[in-house]
Amino acid sequence: MSHQYRKHFTPLESNPSLFTSLAHTLGLSPALEFHDVLSLHDADLLSLTPRPAHALIIVFPTSPNYEAELTTKDKDITQYTSSGDNEPIIWYKQTINNACGLYAILHAVSNGHARDFIIPNSHLYQLLTTCTPLNPQDRAAFLENDTNLEAAYKTVALQGDSAVPENPEDEVDFHYVCFVRSPKNGHLYELDGDRKGPINLGEFEEDDLLSERGLRVLKEFIEKTECEGGVSLLALAPAE
Protein backbone atom coordinates (compact mmCIF):
# COMPACT_ATOMS: atom_id res chain seq x y z
CA MET A 1 0.00 0.00 0.00
CA SER A 2 1.44 3.43 -0.86
CA HIS A 3 -0.58 5.63 1.46
CA GLN A 4 1.30 8.50 3.09
CA TYR A 5 1.50 7.07 6.58
CA ARG A 6 2.73 9.17 9.48
CA LYS A 7 4.08 6.25 11.50
CA HIS A 8 5.47 2.77 10.81
CA PHE A 9 5.23 -0.50 12.75
CA THR A 10 6.70 -3.97 12.30
CA PRO A 11 4.02 -6.19 10.69
CA LEU A 12 2.10 -8.58 12.95
CA GLU A 13 2.18 -12.24 11.98
CA SER A 14 -1.25 -13.78 11.35
CA ASN A 15 -0.93 -16.12 14.29
CA PRO A 16 -3.95 -16.61 16.58
CA SER A 17 -1.73 -16.94 19.64
CA LEU A 18 -0.09 -13.56 18.94
CA PHE A 19 -3.44 -11.92 18.22
CA THR A 20 -4.85 -13.34 21.45
CA SER A 21 -1.80 -12.27 23.44
CA LEU A 22 -2.08 -8.67 22.25
CA ALA A 23 -5.85 -8.53 22.79
CA HIS A 24 -5.51 -9.92 26.33
CA THR A 25 -2.63 -7.57 27.12
CA LEU A 26 -4.78 -4.62 26.10
CA GLY A 27 -7.73 -5.73 28.21
CA LEU A 28 -9.87 -8.35 26.47
CA SER A 29 -11.22 -11.01 28.82
CA PRO A 30 -9.52 -14.44 28.66
CA ALA A 31 -13.01 -15.80 27.89
CA LEU A 32 -12.40 -14.88 24.23
CA GLU A 33 -9.53 -15.92 21.99
CA PHE A 34 -8.57 -15.80 18.33
CA HIS A 35 -8.70 -19.14 16.53
CA ASP A 36 -7.64 -20.38 13.12
CA VAL A 37 -10.49 -21.18 10.75
CA LEU A 38 -9.14 -24.18 8.88
CA SER A 39 -11.66 -24.32 6.05
CA LEU A 40 -14.65 -22.51 4.58
CA HIS A 41 -15.79 -25.64 2.74
CA ASP A 42 -15.08 -28.70 4.92
CA ALA A 43 -17.75 -28.98 7.63
CA ASP A 44 -15.58 -31.20 9.84
CA LEU A 45 -12.66 -28.77 9.82
CA LEU A 46 -15.01 -25.83 10.26
CA SER A 47 -16.52 -27.48 13.35
CA LEU A 48 -13.14 -27.29 15.09
CA THR A 49 -13.52 -23.53 15.51
CA PRO A 50 -15.47 -22.60 18.71
CA ARG A 51 -18.75 -20.77 18.26
CA PRO A 52 -20.14 -18.21 18.09
CA ALA A 53 -17.60 -16.29 16.04
CA HIS A 54 -17.99 -12.67 17.19
CA ALA A 55 -15.62 -11.30 14.54
CA LEU A 56 -13.61 -12.61 11.60
CA ILE A 57 -10.26 -11.38 10.31
CA ILE A 58 -9.21 -12.39 6.82
CA VAL A 59 -5.53 -12.17 5.88
CA PHE A 60 -4.69 -12.19 2.19
CA PRO A 61 -1.87 -11.36 -0.23
CA THR A 62 -2.35 -8.14 -2.15
CA SER A 63 -1.85 -7.91 -5.89
CA PRO A 64 0.15 -5.09 -7.55
CA ASN A 65 -3.20 -3.60 -8.59
CA TYR A 66 -4.85 -3.87 -5.18
CA GLU A 67 -4.61 -0.20 -4.21
CA ALA A 68 -5.81 0.96 -7.64
CA GLU A 69 -8.77 -1.41 -7.30
CA LEU A 70 -9.62 0.07 -3.89
CA THR A 71 -9.47 3.57 -5.32
CA THR A 72 -11.92 2.53 -8.04
CA LYS A 73 -14.25 0.90 -5.50
CA ASP A 74 -14.25 3.96 -3.26
CA LYS A 75 -14.39 6.74 -5.88
CA ASP A 76 -18.11 7.34 -5.37
CA ILE A 77 -18.07 6.77 -1.59
CA THR A 78 -18.18 9.74 0.78
CA GLN A 79 -15.45 9.84 3.42
CA TYR A 80 -16.81 8.49 6.69
CA THR A 81 -17.24 11.13 9.40
CA SER A 82 -19.56 9.57 11.99
CA SER A 83 -18.74 9.11 15.66
CA GLY A 84 -20.28 8.22 18.99
CA ASP A 85 -23.99 7.45 19.08
CA ASN A 86 -24.30 8.23 15.36
CA GLU A 87 -22.37 5.17 14.22
CA PRO A 88 -23.62 1.58 14.41
CA ILE A 89 -20.03 0.34 14.67
CA ILE A 90 -16.70 1.91 15.54
CA TRP A 91 -14.22 2.25 12.66
CA TYR A 92 -10.55 3.18 12.82
CA LYS A 93 -8.86 4.94 9.92
CA GLN A 94 -5.41 3.43 9.42
CA THR A 95 -2.59 5.96 9.58
CA ILE A 96 0.16 3.61 10.83
CA ASN A 97 2.01 1.68 8.11
CA ASN A 98 2.15 -2.14 8.33
CA ALA A 99 -0.22 -2.11 11.33
CA CYS A 100 -3.28 -3.55 9.58
CA GLY A 101 -3.14 -6.49 12.01
CA LEU A 102 -3.47 -4.09 14.93
CA TYR A 103 -6.39 -2.27 13.32
CA ALA A 104 -8.07 -5.60 12.59
CA ILE A 105 -7.77 -6.58 16.26
CA LEU A 106 -9.15 -3.23 17.38
CA HIS A 107 -12.06 -3.54 14.95
CA ALA A 108 -12.78 -7.07 16.20
CA VAL A 109 -12.80 -6.26 19.92
CA SER A 110 -14.43 -2.82 19.64
CA ASN A 111 -17.62 -4.04 18.01
CA GLY A 112 -20.47 -6.50 18.46
CA HIS A 113 -20.79 -8.66 21.54
CA ALA A 114 -16.99 -8.77 21.90
CA ARG A 115 -17.25 -5.35 23.56
CA ASP A 116 -19.02 -7.04 26.47
CA PHE A 117 -15.78 -8.93 27.16
CA ILE A 118 -13.56 -5.88 27.65
CA ILE A 119 -12.27 -5.68 31.20
CA PRO A 120 -13.41 -2.47 32.96
CA ASN A 121 -10.69 0.14 33.46
CA SER A 122 -8.24 -1.78 31.27
CA HIS A 123 -6.25 0.04 28.60
CA LEU A 124 -8.65 -1.22 25.95
CA TYR A 125 -11.61 0.03 27.98
CA GLN A 126 -10.00 3.46 28.31
CA LEU A 127 -9.07 3.50 24.61
CA LEU A 128 -12.67 2.80 23.59
CA THR A 129 -14.05 5.34 26.04
CA THR A 130 -11.78 8.00 24.56
CA CYS A 131 -12.11 7.02 20.88
CA THR A 132 -15.86 6.46 20.63
CA PRO A 133 -16.92 10.15 20.65
CA LEU A 134 -14.05 11.25 18.38
CA ASN A 135 -14.35 11.76 14.63
CA PRO A 136 -12.25 9.37 12.50
CA GLN A 137 -9.34 11.80 12.05
CA ASP A 138 -9.01 12.54 15.77
CA ARG A 139 -9.52 8.85 16.55
CA ALA A 140 -6.65 7.96 14.21
CA ALA A 141 -4.40 10.59 15.79
CA PHE A 142 -5.17 9.24 19.24
CA LEU A 143 -4.08 5.72 18.22
CA GLU A 144 -0.88 7.10 16.68
CA ASN A 145 0.03 8.81 19.95
CA ASP A 146 -0.96 5.97 22.29
CA THR A 147 2.46 4.95 23.62
CA ASN A 148 1.07 2.08 25.73
CA LEU A 149 -0.69 0.64 22.68
CA GLU A 150 2.51 0.93 20.65
CA ALA A 151 4.62 -0.74 23.35
CA ALA A 152 2.19 -3.65 23.73
CA TYR A 153 2.04 -4.10 19.96
CA LYS A 154 5.80 -4.08 19.47
CA THR A 155 6.34 -6.62 22.24
CA VAL A 156 3.96 -9.08 20.57
CA ALA A 157 4.97 -8.34 16.96
CA LEU A 158 8.59 -9.29 17.68
CA GLN A 159 7.52 -12.73 18.93
CA GLY A 160 6.43 -13.97 15.50
CA ASP A 161 8.26 -16.70 13.58
CA SER A 162 7.85 -15.12 10.14
CA ALA A 163 10.55 -12.95 8.61
CA VAL A 164 9.70 -9.26 8.90
CA PRO A 165 11.23 -6.25 7.14
CA GLU A 166 14.28 -4.80 8.87
CA ASN A 167 12.91 -1.38 8.01
CA PRO A 168 9.30 -0.88 9.23
CA GLU A 169 8.78 1.56 6.34
CA ASP A 170 9.17 -1.27 3.81
CA GLU A 171 5.89 -2.45 2.28
CA VAL A 172 4.50 -5.93 2.88
CA ASP A 173 2.30 -7.74 0.38
CA PHE A 174 -0.53 -8.88 2.62
CA HIS A 175 -3.45 -7.17 4.27
CA TYR A 176 -6.00 -7.73 7.06
CA VAL A 177 -9.73 -7.00 6.87
CA CYS A 178 -12.22 -7.52 9.71
CA PHE A 179 -15.90 -8.49 9.57
CA VAL A 180 -18.23 -7.69 12.48
CA ARG A 181 -21.95 -7.54 13.16
CA SER A 182 -23.53 -4.48 14.74
CA PRO A 183 -26.06 -5.23 17.49
CA LYS A 184 -27.43 -1.71 16.96
CA ASN A 185 -28.88 -2.36 13.51
CA GLY A 186 -28.23 -6.06 12.91
CA HIS A 187 -26.04 -5.39 9.86
CA LEU A 188 -22.76 -7.01 8.87
CA TYR A 189 -19.78 -4.70 8.21
CA GLU A 190 -16.48 -5.02 6.42
CA LEU A 191 -13.90 -2.95 8.31
CA ASP A 192 -10.68 -1.93 6.62
CA GLY A 193 -8.76 1.10 7.86
CA ASP A 194 -7.44 1.75 4.35
CA ARG A 195 -10.93 2.31 2.93
CA LYS A 196 -12.95 5.55 3.20
CA GLY A 197 -15.05 4.04 5.98
CA PRO A 198 -16.90 0.89 7.05
CA ILE A 199 -18.66 -1.10 4.31
CA ASN A 200 -22.27 -2.00 5.19
CA LEU A 201 -22.99 -5.50 3.85
CA GLY A 202 -26.64 -5.50 4.82
CA GLU A 203 -28.81 -7.33 7.34
CA PHE A 204 -27.28 -10.26 9.18
CA GLU A 205 -29.58 -11.99 11.65
CA GLU A 206 -27.18 -14.55 13.10
CA ASP A 207 -24.85 -13.86 16.03
CA ASP A 208 -22.34 -16.38 14.62
CA LEU A 209 -20.33 -14.92 11.75
CA LEU A 210 -19.39 -18.44 10.64
CA SER A 211 -23.02 -19.17 9.84
CA GLU A 212 -23.98 -20.19 6.30
CA ARG A 213 -24.55 -16.55 5.31
CA GLY A 214 -21.25 -15.48 6.85
CA LEU A 215 -19.40 -18.15 4.89
CA ARG A 216 -21.00 -16.91 1.67
CA VAL A 217 -19.83 -13.36 2.39
CA LEU A 218 -16.26 -14.56 2.96
CA LYS A 219 -16.22 -16.66 -0.20
CA GLU A 220 -17.53 -13.72 -2.22
CA PHE A 221 -14.86 -11.44 -0.72
CA ILE A 222 -12.11 -13.90 -1.65
CA GLU A 223 -13.48 -14.25 -5.17
CA LYS A 224 -13.81 -10.50 -5.74
CA THR A 225 -10.39 -9.78 -4.27
CA GLU A 226 -8.86 -12.57 -6.38
CA CYS A 227 -6.84 -13.72 -3.39
CA GLU A 228 -7.51 -17.47 -3.37
CA GLY A 229 -3.85 -18.31 -2.78
CA GLY A 230 -2.37 -17.77 0.67
CA VAL A 231 -5.56 -16.68 2.42
CA SER A 232 -5.94 -17.33 6.14
CA LEU A 233 -8.81 -16.60 8.47
CA LEU A 234 -9.00 -15.92 12.20
CA ALA A 235 -12.16 -15.97 14.32
CA LEU A 236 -12.68 -14.18 17.63
CA ALA A 237 -14.64 -16.74 19.61
CA PRO A 238 -14.95 -18.36 23.06
CA ALA A 239 -11.77 -19.73 24.57
CA GLU A 240 -11.35 -23.50 24.53
Side-chain angles (χ1 to χ4, degrees), residues 38-108:
L38 301 177
S39 175
L40 296 180
H41 307 279
D42 187 311
D44 291 334
L45 291 176
L46 193 57
S47 69
L48 298 177
T49 303
R51 307 294 181 85
H54 298 290
L56 298 173
I57 296 175
I58 189 168
V59 189
F60 57 96
T62 55
S63 69
N65 299 323
Y66 179 72
E67 186 173 349
E69 292 167 357
L70 281 191
T71 300
T72 299
K73 287 180 182 179
D74 287 355
K75 66 178 181 178
D76 296 324
I77 298 177
T78 303
Q79 186 70 46
Y80 186 73
T81 59
S82 295
S83 62
D85 294 336
N86 295 323
E87 56 181 346
I89 46 81
I90 185 168
W91 175 76
Y92 301 97
K93 178 179 176 63
Q94 182 171 345
T95 55
I96 304 174
N97 188 34
N98 288 335
C100 51
L102 171 63
Y103 286 88
I105 291 174
L106 291 177
H107 281 138

Side-chain angles (χ1 to χ4, degrees), residues 115-232:
R115 288 189 69 144
D116 299 335
F117 292 85
I118 294 175
I119 298 171
N121 300 318
S122 64
H123 186 73
L124 185 56
Y125 178 90
Q126 294 168 353
L127 183 153
L128 268 176
T129 300
T130 301
C131 283
T132 297
L134 299 178
N135 65 53
Q137 293 293 341
D138 290 341
R139 191 179 288 169
F142 179 83
L143 295 184
E144 286 181 42
N145 296 317
D146 188 336
T147 55
N148 290 329
L149 178 67
E150 181 175 358
Y153 175 87
K154 286 185 174 180
T155 297
V156 173
L158 294 175
Q159 295 174 13
D161 296 324
S162 301
V164 296
E166 292 185 8
N167 182 357
E169 295 189 28
D170 290 344
E171 298 293 335
V172 293
D173 296 325
F174 60 87
H175 193 52
Y176 295 72
V177 172
C178 183
F179 294 85
V180 299
R181 178 183 181 273
S182 168
K184 290 184 178 181
N185 63 8
H187 285 209
L188 182 68
Y189 287 85
E190 175 188 328
L191 303 180
D192 180 350
D194 277 336
R195 303 291 295 271
K196 285 187 174 180
I199 309 300
N200 188 337
L201 301 177
E203 292 185 6
F204 192 88
E205 296 180 357
E206 302 91 337
D207 286 329
D208 181 16
L209 269 64
L210 285 175
S211 64
E212 185 175 332
R213 165 111 200 287
L215 293 175
R216 286 202 306 271
V217 169
L218 290 169
K219 292 172 184 176
E220 289 171 2
F221 178 89
I222 292 170
E223 182 179 351
K224 290 178 181 178
T225 312
E226 299 180 350
C227 59
E228 287 86 351
V231 173
S232 60

